[in-house]
Amino acid sequence: DVKVTQSSRYLVKRTGEKVFLECVQDMDHENMFWYRQDPGLGLRLIYFSYDVKMKEKGDIPEGYSVSREKKERFSLILESASTNQTSMYLCASSQILGLADYNEQFFGPGTRLTVL
Amino acid sequence: QKEVEQNSGPLSVPEGAIASLNCTYSDRGSQSFFWYRQYSGKSPELIMSIYSNGDKEDGRFTAQLNKASQYVSLLIRDSQPSDSATYLCAVDNAGNMLTFGGGTRLMVKP
């Protein structure tokens, strides 16, 4: 079974703090994704990475950066946390299309971040 | 802008009934379609994938795909209170990415 883990289930930070959210997958997947999920807005893609040191902006990258130094690990960084970044953050991974029939994405348990 | 549309619900069904969840998508080039179940406060869990037109069955779940009409549906037979959750439809989008619908909240009443 694919296992995606995230560093924290709940996190409380103060405005202006630098925040690191970490995601690790154990299935040797090439693709990794960071989403945020808010009531009424659904899942929104922040960044994704298709290889080590590679990253692509998603729909809402402003205020975020990412790092992928190892294949299994994808970090989301909030450079200066703001209250409007209070949200559920979800990491996902998938096999690269072509190596798999479907580009199924598997999610980690999520991190509920509150910025005060 | 590629879109995936779902009725937000709630869809309320009695225990033991069939729940029918629907999803339409805008990109005719989409090839892969997914249903995720998300319990309140939890992350989405993949329950069904479908690639070809027609039906795909897995236990109490049946996914139906009609590419000509650009819709995909999920049927849940013998619905149980434990099926109460939000169901997300996802459609492949430019290769390795997915576009998610807003989800339909299902309530199964004992």
Side-chain angles (χ1 to χ4, degrees):
Chain A
D1 279 352
V2 176
K3 189 163 185 184
V4 181
T5 58
Q6 295 184 228
S7 49
S8 306
R9 291 300 308 276
Y10 300 95
L11 207 53
V12 179
K13 295 292 182 181
R14 297 210 172 270
T15 301
E17 281 192 79
K18 192 168 187 175
V19 181
F20 293 87
L21 303 181
E22 195 165 79
C23 175
V24 178
Q25 51 94 5
D26 67 356
M27 284 302 292
D28 203 35
H29 282 176
E30 284 78 11
N31 300 321
M32 296 189 75
F33 307 84
W34 275 106
Y35 296 90
R36 64 177 284 178
Q37 188 176 34
D38 302 286
L41 296 176
L43 275 165
R44 293 181 291 169
L45 181 65
I46 304 171
Y47 268 98
F48 74 98
S49 168
Y50 53 89
D51 201 352
V52 175
K53 296 191 185 295
M54 304 303 289
K55 61 184 179 184
E56 293 288 341
K57 293 180 180 179
D59 299 320
I60 51 163
E62 296 79 17
Y64 303 94
S65 62
V66 290
S67 172
R68 193 165 180 201
E69 296 296 320
K70 293 185 177 182
K71 188 176 185 179
E72 67 272 17
R73 197 177 296 266
F74 192 35
S75 300
L76 179 70
I77 303 151
L78 286 66
E79 297 290 344
S80 178
S82 64
T83 55
N84 62 12
Q85 292 179 310
T86 292
S87 186
M88 169 73 102
Y89 288 88
L90 292 160
C91 175
S93 73
S94 71
Q95 184 66 281
I96 197 165
L97 204 60
L99 296 180
D101 290 336
Y102 303 130
N103 49 342
E104 301 167 326
Q105 289 185 18
F106 299 92
F107 285 84
T111 296
R112 185 162 295 281
L113 172 67
T114 302
V115 183
L116 301 176
Chain B
Q1 181 77 6
K2 296 172 183 175
E3 295 182 345
V4 177
E5 300 287 341
Q6 296 181 256
N7 188 318
S8 61
L11 173 65
S12 183
V13 301
E15 184 174 356
I18 296 175
S20 178
L21 305 163
N22 300 312
C23 170
T24 59
Y25 60 94
S26 63
D27 182 11
R28 284 197 171 273
S30 297
Q31 296 293 324
S32 304
F33 307 86
F34 308 91
W35 283 100
Y36 288 82
R37 178 177 61 201
Q38 187 174 24
Y39 293 113
S40 181
K42 303 295 186 181
S43 63
E45 173 193 9
L46 181 65
I47 55 172
M48 290 288 285
S49 307
I50 188 165
Y51 180 77
S52 303
N53 274 330
D55 295 1
K56 179 182 177 183
E57 189 174 314
D58 183 1
R60 296 186 296 113
F61 298 100
T62 299
Q64 299 175 317
L65 175 61
N66 184 323
K67 289 185 180 180
S69 301
Q70 294 175 247
Y71 83 77
V72 57
S73 62
L74 179 71
L75 301 179
I76 306 174
R77 289 182 300 281
D78 188 24
S79 295
Q80 301 297 309
S82 59
D83 295 325
S84 298
T86 295
Y87 290 80
L88 303 174
C89 173
V91 175
D92 78 328
N93 173 7
N96 292 287
M97 290 196 288
L98 299 180
T99 298
F100 287 84
T104 298
R105 189 158 72 97
L106 173 66
M107 296 172 57
V108 181
K109 299 194 171 181

